[in-house]
Amino acid sequence: MLWAGRMRLGTFGILLMLVHASSACEFGPFPYSFTGIVCRMTKPAALLLNQETAQVIQAAFRNAKFPNITGERSMRLLGKVAYGLSNIQVNDLSIEKSEVELKENDAIHIAIKNVTAFFKGTLTYGYAGAWFLQLFHSVDFEIESSIDLQINIKLTCQKDQVAADASDCYLTFHKLTLHLQGDKEPGWLKQLFMDFISFTLKLVLKSEVCNEINFLAQVLANFVLDLAANFVQDKDISVDISLASVPLIKANYLESHHKGLVLYKNYSDVFSDSVFSPSLLTESRMLYFWLSEHILNSLASAAFLDKRLVLTIRGEKLQALFEMEDTEAQRKAVQMIFQGTSYNDSVAKVWSLAHPQISLQPEGTVVKSLVAVEVSIFPTGEEPLMVLYMEKEITVTIQAAYAEKKLILHALDSRIEFKVFKCTADPSENDPSIRSFLQTMISVVGIPEVISRIEPALTSLMNSKGLHLFEIRNPEIITRKGYIIVQLDFSFPKHLLLDFLEKRL
């Protein structure tokens, strides 16, 4: 009876995304010190998700595979009576309401009230009378049922990952009525089989519904964990989202804590100095993500090792950089650097020479990086010539926002310090005009150009993980000393879980 357990998986399957518990995992005396990522889902989000599950329940019923139910009983005068229900299908389904409650430090309680389901199929019965009279019949039937479900989901930890225990499950039947061929059969026959079938059917439903709910709870937990793991991975760079501590289940929110260690080839990430405390997050928004400064630094290091911090600029983009203003000083500097070569025959390469250092402060994300810039020209019929090379230490403060499903980065201020400067037009480095021009160009146009390249790249990466499927409302990205908080309200894409269940069932 694998069918019925698929009924109520939408609500607690989604809740598992942000809740992890520990019974088999050891976290040590100071578990928060290893916390790199925190997720908090508040009660309004849980209630919203609970409202979106009717289609999931209906899909579970529609796709259910119902086993045959058989039984027999000895009756006076009639002898032994045997019956079988086969070809069972759901003919109709309605749900009056569903409620979810967070029981502090205990479980997620889900109450599903008045699930009215109509099943149809074929009833085959036969009996051998005391006078060797044998009769066998097959009739169509419909079963009308009204059921309440009570599910308490406890969460455990296995191998530092979530495991859901939904075995605390109860079914209460308000109605279980058998109709034979539109009530054309004699009343005594209907009553006979109703008495036989109802008790057995209730036992089967209670057992199989709860067993299947327990099974699919873990299936959905794994599904959500896979989604989360995929979201924080791109090619060889990934983030360890295994549990860092026992979660909190409060009356108003659920909270899970994750290690957040960056994984990249032989790169070894160690973290044991987190500043996280539950008091850093509030309960006014639906969803919160807390990220440690350490994670951003580790991701920047992995991106550097993976040679991703390289930018090539040519053609119109290069022209826009060097012709940011039409002044005599600008024209003179460009002529000296490019020696009359067109921008289409020139290329600028920008790359990071060392791991960028990221510091989270109340005013924004401060990025400090040692950057090299190389400009080469390709004169017709001649060998390529490097006409400019410089190394500079750039410190820039960035504020981030998310609107219209796009990441927006805004540079507040920047500081530039030249470390190395070589220009073929000024080998003696006695002409300050070129360096002054380049410093202004980098500040006014160069840094915004780099940021403008990063914005769509990160937006595209996040959308490839499915972020654009969510309706995110009023997102805020707040930086504090040592950590960043992302808080938002959202609408969950119903088809995401529904599509998964349609494929799984």
Side-chain angles (χ1 to χ4, degrees):
M1 203 61 149
L2 298 178
W3 58 277
R6 297 184 171 98
M7 291 194 304
R8 190 57 193 181
L9 303 170
T11 299
F12 61 81
I14 302 303
L15 294 177
L16 291 173
M17 176 171 63
L18 298 177
V19 185
H20 298 70
S22 170
S23 62
C25 303
E26 297 293 334
F27 296 116
F30 306 105
Y32 284 164
S33 63
F34 296 94
T35 298
I37 300 175
V38 178
C39 300
R40 175 178 288 189
M41 176 184 281
T42 60
K43 184 68 175 290
L47 294 174
L48 173 67
L49 296 175
N50 189 61
Q51 296 171 3
E52 301 291 342
T53 56
Q55 292 187 49
V56 175
I57 297 172
Q58 292 168 0
F61 270 92
R62 286 195 303 269
N63 291 278
K65 304 298 181 183
F66 299 96
N68 296 336
I69 299 175
T70 60
E72 63 179 22
R73 186 174 180 181
S74 296
M75 297 288 293
R76 288 184 180 181
L77 302 177
L78 294 177
K80 183 179 291 185
V81 178
Y83 63 87
L85 280 71
S86 59
N87 303 320
I88 304 175
Q89 301 176 26
V90 174
N91 196 33
D92 195 11
L93 176 74
S94 64
I95 301 166
E96 183 174 294
K97 67 176 179 178
S98 176
E99 299 172 348
V100 61
E101 179 183 0
L102 306 180
K103 294 185 175 180
E104 188 158 339
N105 298 323
D106 183 17
I108 304 167
H109 175 71
I110 298 173
I112 307 160
K113 298 184 178 180
N114 287 343
V115 179
T116 301
F118 290 86
F119 305 93
K120 65 178 181 179
T122 302
L123 169 64
T124 301
Y125 63 94
Y127 49 90
W131 297 280
F132 303 102
L133 177 64
Q134 295 186 4
L135 297 174
F136 300 95
H137 298 277
S138 291
V139 296
D140 294 333
F141 74 85
E142 183 180 70
I143 296 175
E144 181 182 359
S145 66
S146 179
I147 309 169
D148 286 351
L149 286 85
Q150 304 285 336
I151 307 166
N152 291 304
I153 307 168
K154 296 184 180 295
L155 302 161
T156 60
C157 177
Q158 295 178 3
K159 298 180 180 179
D160 289 337
Q161 297 293 347
V162 69
D165 179 6
S167 59
D168 188 4
C169 169
Y170 302 92
L171 271 67
T172 303
F173 291 86
H174 299 297
K175 180 188 292 186
L176 192 67
T177 306
L178 176 68
H179 302 283
L180 300 176
Q181 288 189 345
D183 287 333
K184 293 181 181 179
E185 290 293 326
W188 67 268
L189 183 60
K190 172 183 173 181
Q191 187 60 48
L192 170 67
F193 286 106
M194 191 64 241
D195 291 342
F196 284 178
I197 293 169
S198 62
F199 179 75
T200 303
L201 188 59
K202 287 179 181 180
L203 290 179
V204 170
L205 286 175
K206 286 182 178 180
S207 174
E208 298 301 330
V209 167
C210 291
N211 286 343
E212 192 67 5
I213 285 178
N214 197 18
F215 168 71
L216 283 185
Q218 186 59 57
V219 170
L220 282 172
N222 292 336
F223 167 66
V224 173
L225 286 173
D226 289 343
L227 283 179
N230 179 61
F231 191 84
V232 293
Q233 179 175 4
D234 182 54
K235 297 179 181 178
D236 291 333
I237 301 175
S238 62
V239 178
D240 178 8
I241 59 170
S242 58
L243 297 178
S245 65
V246 178
L248 298 176
I249 303 180
K250 297 293 186 180
N252 295 322
Y253 66 85
L254 314 168
E255 186 172 282
S256 62
H257 317 98
H258 310 266
K259 294 177 181 177
L261 299 177
V262 173
L263 308 174
Y264 174 74
K265 295 182 178 178
N266 296 327
Y267 174 78
S268 179
D269 193 14
V270 180
F271 181 51
S272 60
D273 194 24
S274 176
V275 298
F276 174 73
S277 168
S279 62
L280 297 177
L281 302 179
T282 65
E283 302 173 21
S284 61
R285 307 299 297 274
M286 294 172 66
L287 189 61
Y288 295 81
F289 294 98
W290 182 96
L291 303 174
S292 168
E293 176 183 282
H294 176 84
I295 289 181
L296 300 184
N297 266 311
S298 297
L299 285 172
S301 295
F304 170 77
L305 294 172
D306 203 42
K307 304 186 185 305
R308 300 193 187 193
L309 305 183
V310 179
L311 178 63
T312 301
I313 306 173
R314 50 168 53 91
E316 293 181 359
K317 289 289 186 180
L318 189 59
Q319 181 178 4
L321 284 176
F322 281 89
E323 296 185 0
M324 60 177 181
E325 56 183 13
D326 188 14
T327 65
E328 182 63 29
Q330 174 263 321
R331 289 191 293 271
K332 178 182 176 182
V334 169
Q335 179 63 32
M336 291 176 66
I337 293 171
F338 289 92
Q339 302 175 22
T341 304
S342 72
Y343 292 108
N344 290 330
D345 294 323
S346 308
V347 62
K349 179 182 177 182
V350 183
W351 71 97
S352 183
L353 292 168
H355 300 190
Q357 299 298 313
I358 296 178
S359 173
L360 296 174
Q361 302 294 334
E363 59 268 21
T365 302
V366 181
V367 182
K368 185 177 182 180
S369 181
L370 183 61
V371 177
V373 177
E374 180 182 279
V375 177
S376 299
I377 61 175
F378 303 86
T380 304
E382 299 181 24
E383 292 294 320
L385 176 64
M386 184 181 73
V387 294
L388 177 67
Y389 177 82
M390 53 185 171
E391 295 177 5
K392 55 193 182 298
E393 187 175 82
I394 297 178
T395 303
V396 58
T397 301
I398 300 173
Q399 286 188 344
Y402 186 84
E404 298 180 353
K405 301 189 177 182
K406 295 180 181 179
L407 180 67
I408 301 169
L409 302 177
H410 176 62
L412 294 181
D413 63 80
S414 60
R415 298 186 299 277
I416 301 170
E417 180 182 352
F418 284 95
K419 300 294 185 181
V420 176
F421 183 85
K422 297 177 182 179
C423 181
T424 57
D426 183 24
S428 63
E429 301 184 22
N430 293 325
D431 189 343
S433 63
I434 294 179
R435 187 177 300 199
S436 175
F437 163 73
L438 291 172
Q439 183 155 354
T440 302
M441 181 202 74
I442 293 168
S443 299
V444 176
V445 184
I447 292 175
E449 170 65 19
V450 172
I451 290 178
S452 71
R453 298 286 188 96
I454 295 174
E455 284 178 341
L458 291 178
T459 297
S460 177
L461 176 61
M462 292 187 296
N463 287 343
S464 71
K465 308 298 183 180
L467 184 63
H468 65 292
L469 300 176
F470 292 79
E471 291 299 327
I472 296 176
R473 301 190 299 276
N474 304 319
E476 294 181 86
I477 302 175
I478 304 169
T479 55
R480 294 289 183 262
K481 185 174 178 56
Y483 64 90
I484 187 170
I485 296 173
V486 180
Q487 56 188 38
L488 53 94
D489 299 320
F490 71 98
S491 296
F492 190 82
K494 293 182 283 189
H495 61 86
L496 183 66
L497 188 60
L498 188 60
D499 289 348
F500 166 73
L501 287 177
E502 290 284 3
K503 294 175 182 177
R504 182 65 182 85
L505 298 179

